[in-house]
mmCIF file of all heavy atoms in Angstrom:
data_model
loop_
_atom_site.group_PDB
_atom_site.id
_atom_site.type_symbol
_atom_site.label_atom_id
_atom_site.label_comp_id
_atom_site.label_asym_id
_atom_site.label_seq_id
_atom_site.Cartn_x
_atom_site.Cartn_y
_atom_site.Cartn_z
ATOM 1 N N LEU W 880 70.156 -33.741 10.249
ATOM 2 C CA LEU W 880 68.890 -34.538 10.413
ATOM 3 C C LEU W 880 67.699 -33.721 10.828
ATOM 4 O O LEU W 880 66.534 -33.962 10.211
ATOM 5 C CB LEU W 880 69.131 -35.711 11.356
ATOM 6 C CG LEU W 880 68.093 -36.732 11.475
ATOM 7 C CD1 LEU W 880 68.048 -37.516 10.182
ATOM 8 C CD2 LEU W 880 68.412 -37.743 12.604
ATOM 9 N N GLN W 881 67.832 -32.837 11.742
ATOM 10 C CA GLN W 881 66.693 -32.004 12.190
ATOM 11 C C GLN W 881 66.329 -30.959 11.230
ATOM 12 O O GLN W 881 65.058 -30.715 11.135
ATOM 13 C CB GLN W 881 67.134 -31.316 13.544
ATOM 14 C CG GLN W 881 66.022 -30.524 14.169
ATOM 15 C CD GLN W 881 66.532 -29.939 15.409
ATOM 16 O OE1 GLN W 881 67.714 -30.130 15.901
ATOM 17 N NE2 GLN W 881 65.586 -29.285 16.140
ATOM 18 N N ALA W 882 67.189 -30.513 10.396
ATOM 19 C CA ALA W 882 66.822 -29.543 9.354
ATOM 20 C C ALA W 882 66.134 -30.192 8.086
ATOM 21 O O ALA W 882 65.291 -29.579 7.552
ATOM 22 C CB ALA W 882 68.031 -28.726 8.900
ATOM 23 N N VAL W 883 66.544 -31.424 7.882
ATOM 24 C CA VAL W 883 65.994 -32.097 6.625
ATOM 25 C C VAL W 883 64.626 -32.687 6.943
ATOM 26 O O VAL W 883 63.673 -32.735 6.083
ATOM 27 C CB VAL W 883 66.966 -33.227 6.127
ATOM 28 C CG1 VAL W 883 66.427 -34.052 5.084
ATOM 29 C CG2 VAL W 883 68.262 -32.575 5.635
ATOM 30 N N ARG W 884 64.379 -33.272 8.171
ATOM 31 C CA ARG W 884 63.242 -33.960 8.479
ATOM 32 C C ARG W 884 61.911 -33.144 8.014
ATOM 33 O O ARG W 884 61.043 -33.785 7.387
ATOM 34 C CB ARG W 884 63.203 -34.348 9.878
ATOM 35 C CG ARG W 884 62.037 -35.280 10.395
ATOM 36 C CD ARG W 884 61.819 -35.353 11.769
ATOM 37 N NE ARG W 884 63.062 -35.880 12.407
ATOM 38 C CZ ARG W 884 63.308 -37.133 12.640
ATOM 39 N NH1 ARG W 884 62.461 -38.035 12.156
ATOM 40 N NH2 ARG W 884 64.433 -37.517 13.186
ATOM 41 N N PRO W 885 61.692 -31.975 8.389
ATOM 42 C CA PRO W 885 60.320 -31.342 8.123
ATOM 43 C C PRO W 885 60.108 -31.249 6.562
ATOM 44 O O PRO W 885 58.899 -31.138 6.195
ATOM 45 C CB PRO W 885 60.456 -29.953 8.712
ATOM 46 C CG PRO W 885 61.522 -30.081 9.753
ATOM 47 C CD PRO W 885 62.448 -30.973 9.238
ATOM 48 N N GLY W 886 61.141 -31.245 5.727
ATOM 49 C CA GLY W 886 60.887 -31.091 4.297
ATOM 50 C C GLY W 886 60.698 -32.356 3.599
ATOM 51 O O GLY W 886 60.417 -32.417 2.398
ATOM 52 N N LEU W 887 60.841 -33.445 4.222
ATOM 53 C CA LEU W 887 60.658 -34.771 3.545
ATOM 54 C C LEU W 887 59.270 -35.196 3.507
ATOM 55 O O LEU W 887 58.482 -34.859 4.477
ATOM 56 C CB LEU W 887 61.559 -35.840 4.378
ATOM 57 C CG LEU W 887 63.017 -35.708 4.345
ATOM 58 C CD1 LEU W 887 63.566 -36.789 5.246
ATOM 59 C CD2 LEU W 887 63.615 -35.781 3.008
ATOM 60 N N PRO W 888 58.742 -35.963 2.491
ATOM 61 C CA PRO W 888 57.413 -36.518 2.456
ATOM 62 C C PRO W 888 57.271 -37.451 3.557
ATOM 63 O O PRO W 888 58.218 -37.832 4.322
ATOM 64 C CB PRO W 888 57.481 -37.277 1.186
ATOM 65 C CG PRO W 888 58.605 -36.664 0.321
ATOM 66 C CD PRO W 888 59.638 -36.273 1.318
ATOM 67 N N ALA W 889 55.973 -37.837 3.799
ATOM 68 C CA ALA W 889 55.675 -38.641 4.996
ATOM 69 C C ALA W 889 56.294 -39.945 4.902
ATOM 70 O O ALA W 889 56.837 -40.536 5.951
ATOM 71 C CB ALA W 889 54.091 -38.867 5.054
ATOM 72 N N TYR W 890 56.347 -40.580 3.806
ATOM 73 C CA TYR W 890 56.922 -41.923 3.664
ATOM 74 C C TYR W 890 58.459 -41.962 3.875
ATOM 75 O O TYR W 890 59.023 -42.819 4.478
ATOM 76 C CB TYR W 890 56.562 -42.557 2.334
ATOM 77 C CG TYR W 890 57.350 -42.042 1.143
ATOM 78 C CD1 TYR W 890 58.474 -42.622 0.680
ATOM 79 C CD2 TYR W 890 56.881 -40.914 0.394
ATOM 80 C CE1 TYR W 890 59.201 -42.191 -0.426
ATOM 81 C CE2 TYR W 890 57.537 -40.375 -0.612
ATOM 82 C CZ TYR W 890 58.744 -41.034 -1.078
ATOM 83 O OH TYR W 890 59.373 -40.583 -2.118
ATOM 84 N N LYS W 891 59.135 -40.823 3.417
ATOM 85 C CA LYS W 891 60.577 -40.720 3.747
ATOM 86 C C LYS W 891 60.820 -40.489 5.214
ATOM 87 O O LYS W 891 61.864 -40.953 5.780
ATOM 88 C CB LYS W 891 61.167 -39.702 2.857
ATOM 89 C CG LYS W 891 61.253 -39.994 1.458
ATOM 90 C CD LYS W 891 62.087 -38.929 0.655
ATOM 91 C CE LYS W 891 62.254 -39.403 -0.888
ATOM 92 N NZ LYS W 891 63.090 -38.406 -1.592
ATOM 93 N N GLN W 892 59.923 -39.742 5.899
ATOM 94 C CA GLN W 892 60.090 -39.451 7.295
ATOM 95 C C GLN W 892 60.019 -40.791 7.962
ATOM 96 O O GLN W 892 60.783 -41.110 8.916
ATOM 97 C CB GLN W 892 59.037 -38.493 7.805
ATOM 98 C CG GLN W 892 59.300 -37.054 7.265
ATOM 99 C CD GLN W 892 58.351 -36.039 7.988
ATOM 100 O OE1 GLN W 892 57.556 -36.370 8.836
ATOM 101 N NE2 GLN W 892 58.275 -34.935 7.429
ATOM 102 N N ALA W 893 59.023 -41.603 7.608
ATOM 103 C CA ALA W 893 58.804 -42.983 8.205
ATOM 104 C C ALA W 893 60.167 -43.819 7.997
ATOM 105 O O ALA W 893 60.609 -44.600 8.859
ATOM 106 C CB ALA W 893 57.679 -43.630 7.573
ATOM 107 N N ARG W 894 60.700 -43.736 6.745
ATOM 108 C CA ARG W 894 61.897 -44.516 6.467
ATOM 109 C C ARG W 894 62.994 -44.005 7.275
ATOM 110 O O ARG W 894 63.926 -44.877 7.813
ATOM 111 C CB ARG W 894 62.239 -44.358 4.924
ATOM 112 C CG ARG W 894 63.568 -45.030 4.329
ATOM 113 C CD ARG W 894 63.498 -46.525 4.517
ATOM 114 N NE ARG W 894 64.723 -47.142 4.083
ATOM 115 C CZ ARG W 894 65.231 -48.319 4.481
ATOM 116 N NH1 ARG W 894 64.445 -49.106 5.320
ATOM 117 N NH2 ARG W 894 66.236 -48.785 3.905
ATOM 118 N N LEU W 895 63.067 -42.750 7.408
ATOM 119 C CA LEU W 895 64.213 -42.178 8.304
ATOM 120 C C LEU W 895 64.137 -42.657 9.729
ATOM 121 O O LEU W 895 65.128 -43.021 10.351
ATOM 122 C CB LEU W 895 64.140 -40.674 8.287
ATOM 123 C CG LEU W 895 65.193 -39.867 8.985
ATOM 124 C CD1 LEU W 895 66.536 -40.054 8.435
ATOM 125 C CD2 LEU W 895 64.870 -38.306 8.915
ATOM 126 N N GLU W 896 63.012 -42.659 10.325
ATOM 127 C CA GLU W 896 62.786 -43.154 11.684
ATOM 128 C C GLU W 896 63.087 -44.571 11.749
ATOM 129 O O GLU W 896 63.777 -45.067 12.736
ATOM 130 C CB GLU W 896 61.351 -42.985 12.073
ATOM 131 C CG GLU W 896 60.937 -41.473 12.301
ATOM 132 C CD GLU W 896 59.449 -41.242 12.641
ATOM 133 O OE1 GLU W 896 58.776 -42.258 12.712
ATOM 134 O OE2 GLU W 896 59.045 -40.089 12.860
ATOM 135 N N GLU W 897 62.840 -45.453 10.652
ATOM 136 C CA GLU W 897 63.109 -46.739 10.710
ATOM 137 C C GLU W 897 64.560 -47.054 10.691
ATOM 138 O O GLU W 897 65.204 -47.885 11.447
ATOM 139 C CB GLU W 897 62.447 -47.500 9.479
ATOM 140 C CG GLU W 897 62.709 -49.034 9.481
ATOM 141 C CD GLU W 897 61.993 -49.617 8.170
ATOM 142 O OE1 GLU W 897 61.496 -48.772 7.361
ATOM 143 O OE2 GLU W 897 62.211 -50.807 8.066
ATOM 144 N N LEU W 898 65.328 -46.276 9.907
ATOM 145 C CA LEU W 898 66.768 -46.474 9.758
ATOM 146 C C LEU W 898 67.436 -45.969 11.112
ATOM 147 O O LEU W 898 68.380 -46.659 11.629
ATOM 148 C CB LEU W 898 67.272 -45.640 8.685
ATOM 149 C CG LEU W 898 66.951 -46.006 7.207
ATOM 150 C CD1 LEU W 898 67.465 -45.005 6.235
ATOM 151 C CD2 LEU W 898 67.638 -47.410 6.800
ATOM 152 N N GLN W 899 66.921 -44.884 11.719
ATOM 153 C CA GLN W 899 67.452 -44.513 12.995
ATOM 154 C C GLN W 899 67.277 -45.572 14.018
ATOM 155 O O GLN W 899 68.209 -45.896 14.890
ATOM 156 C CB GLN W 899 66.840 -43.193 13.434
ATOM 157 C CG GLN W 899 67.357 -41.976 12.722
ATOM 158 C CD GLN W 899 66.737 -40.711 13.212
ATOM 159 O OE1 GLN W 899 65.517 -40.551 13.328
ATOM 160 N NE2 GLN W 899 67.473 -39.780 13.426
ATOM 161 N N ARG W 900 66.145 -46.281 14.097
ATOM 162 C CA ARG W 900 65.876 -47.272 15.017
ATOM 163 C C ARG W 900 66.747 -48.480 14.836
ATOM 164 O O ARG W 900 67.244 -49.047 15.776
ATOM 165 C CB ARG W 900 64.335 -47.594 14.960
ATOM 166 C CG ARG W 900 63.924 -48.711 15.945
ATOM 167 C CD ARG W 900 62.427 -48.837 16.051
ATOM 168 N NE ARG W 900 62.020 -49.488 14.679
ATOM 169 C CZ ARG W 900 61.397 -48.744 13.782
ATOM 170 N NH1 ARG W 900 61.076 -47.597 13.888
ATOM 171 N NH2 ARG W 900 61.047 -49.379 12.542
ATOM 172 N N LYS W 901 66.930 -48.885 13.531
ATOM 173 C CA LYS W 901 67.773 -50.037 13.251
ATOM 174 C C LYS W 901 69.194 -49.718 13.575
ATOM 175 O O LYS W 901 69.934 -50.509 14.048
ATOM 176 C CB LYS W 901 67.591 -50.423 11.817
ATOM 177 C CG LYS W 901 66.283 -51.072 11.517
ATOM 178 C CD LYS W 901 66.113 -51.486 10.059
ATOM 179 C CE LYS W 901 64.793 -52.285 9.728
ATOM 180 N NZ LYS W 901 64.804 -52.689 8.365
#
Side-chain angles (χ1 to χ4, degrees):
L880 187 66
Q881 187 176 0
V883 170
R884 185 191 301 273
L887 292 176
Y890 74 94
K891 286 189 177 182
Q892 290 184 11
R894 175 63 177 163
L895 179 61
E896 293 176 358
E897 182 182 0
L898 290 175
Q899 285 181 310
R900 186 174 61 255
K901 288 181 179 180

